[in-house]
Amino acid sequence: QPQVAESGGGLAQAGGSLRLSCVASRFSASRCMAWFRQNPGKEREGVAALYTGGGGLYYADSVKGRFTISRDSAKNTLYLQMDSLKSEDTAMYFCAADRALKPCGTTWDNSARYNSWGQGTQVTVSS
């Protein structure tokens, strides 16, 4: 089962940028990995996902054109580049990995499919 640990959160001004990193074990295996975010009292929301074996990328409509998910297999790292940040992006961001060796598909934003979760990194965007 993969293990993940995210970092890179912090405080940014609206319109600014942050890059989140997620170091994962067993990165060489092709699996679906994703970024989620959550605020108190709210449902955990899928932000972006990719299949480490290659293929399509997935984004929530609210972040398309602003966020970019990518990976560096040599560094066993998943990234989320966040540009043009908005106050609405404020949340705890989590890295997630599915132990199943299959593409993300249409369930990429279903938190229940993921078996491994990081502890979260806080992103706060001020107006």
Side-chain angles (χ1 to χ4, degrees):
Q1 186 168 320
Q3 301 295 315
V4 298
E6 63 272 83
S7 62
L11 178 65
Q13 190 175 30
S17 299
L18 286 172
R19 188 177 75 163
L20 306 184
S21 299
C22 172
V23 178
S25 65
R26 305 185 66 182
F27 204 89
S28 60
S30 298
R31 66 180 78 254
C32 182
M33 296 188 68
W35 289 97
F36 283 74
R37 63 187 182 187
Q38 187 172 30
N39 280 302
K42 299 295 181 67
E43 191 79 9
R44 188 164 294 187
E45 173 191 20
V47 177
L50 63 68
Y51 177 56
T52 59
L57 306 178
Y58 303 85
Y59 295 97
D61 289 341
S62 60
V63 307
K64 285 182 178 178
R66 299 188 299 117
F67 290 10
T68 304
I69 187 170
S70 63
R71 61 180 170 85
D72 187 335
S73 297
K75 297 180 179 179
N76 296 325
T77 302
L78 181 75
Y79 300 101
L80 184 67
Q81 178 67 43
M82 304 184 294
D83 297 320
S84 301
L85 284 164
K86 303 176 180 180
S87 60
E88 297 93 313
D89 296 317
T90 295
M92 183 73 73
Y93 283 72
F94 299 88
C95 179
D98 186 357
R99 70 184 180 191
L101 304 181
K102 62 181 182 181
C104 301
T106 58
T107 62
W108 72 269
D109 60 347
N110 180 6
S111 62
R113 72 169 287 172
Y114 298 95
N115 312 104
S116 300
W117 294 86
Q119 293 299 306
T121 183
Q122 179 68 39
V123 170
T124 301
V125 183
S126 62
S127 300

